[in-house]
Amino acid sequence: VVQLNGLHKANTSLSGKASGLASALSQQQQDAASKLAAQSKISTDALAQVTLLNQQILALRQQLDSIAAALKISEAKDVSSQAVIADLGRRLNLALARKVQELAQYRSEFFGRLRKLLGNRSDISIVGDRFVFQSEVLFAQGSATLSPSATDTLNTLAATLLQIAKEIPTDIHWILRVDGNTDATPIHTAQFPSNWELSTARAVAVTKYLISRGVPPDRLAPAGFGQFYPIDPANTPQAYQRNRRIEFKLTER
């Protein structure tokens, strides 16, 4: 009996331990299931974020591809445009060069005819692309009024210019520049406070006379340069005489 009671006690003790173990195991299983569910949720959220990031990256790459394609097209158009512009510039330069060359031919012919008509005079010369009249041919010293002897010379110039003008094509926009120049001797009068006024007044006087002889006003451009553009820098009477002059230049407008 004693032995049987001992066995019952042992059985009860073991049953209690077994129950405790079962309870502990059940708790552990529940904890493990909770952790697994939490990890599963985290994995699901992470997967969703990764999916979203992949979609954003894909969209960004598509935008970059579109931008790259647009840039490529733009660069191609730019290269094409530059080629067109360069070609237009080349053609324009050639056209301008032809017009300049044509005008140079008419200028040479104008000067040649004028030289032949005026004769070999020491007070009228060609300097570069200009026909140069010494001021004494046209004006008295310190005056901007044309002298009586100037009219014959200017009549010849106007008639020659009008003849040449008929031959110049209408698409060549030419003018005859009339430039007044003085020597370095300063002038201070009520009419001419400085050499600027004297040189300009002389250029205007010649221009008005040419207009009276039929030269269109829009083909003439008077200008006064005072003493600032001498053709002879020496301080001698001969140099001063050369620097007092009216220059005619057939040029582009």
Side-chain angles (χ1 to χ4, degrees), residues 118 137-138 146-158 209-210 212-213:
L118 293 175
V137 176
L138 306 173
L146 288 170
S147 60
S149 60
T151 56
D152 289 340
T153 303
L154 291 179
N155 288 345
T156 300
L157 188 149
Y209 187 83
L210 293 177
S212 73
R213 303 305 298 173

Side-chain angles (χ1 to χ4, degrees), residues 213-233:
R213 303 305 298 173
V215 179
D218 62 339
R219 295 297 188 182
L220 294 166
F225 291 90
Q227 72 274 26
F228 299 105
Y229 292 91
I231 55 177
D232 190 335

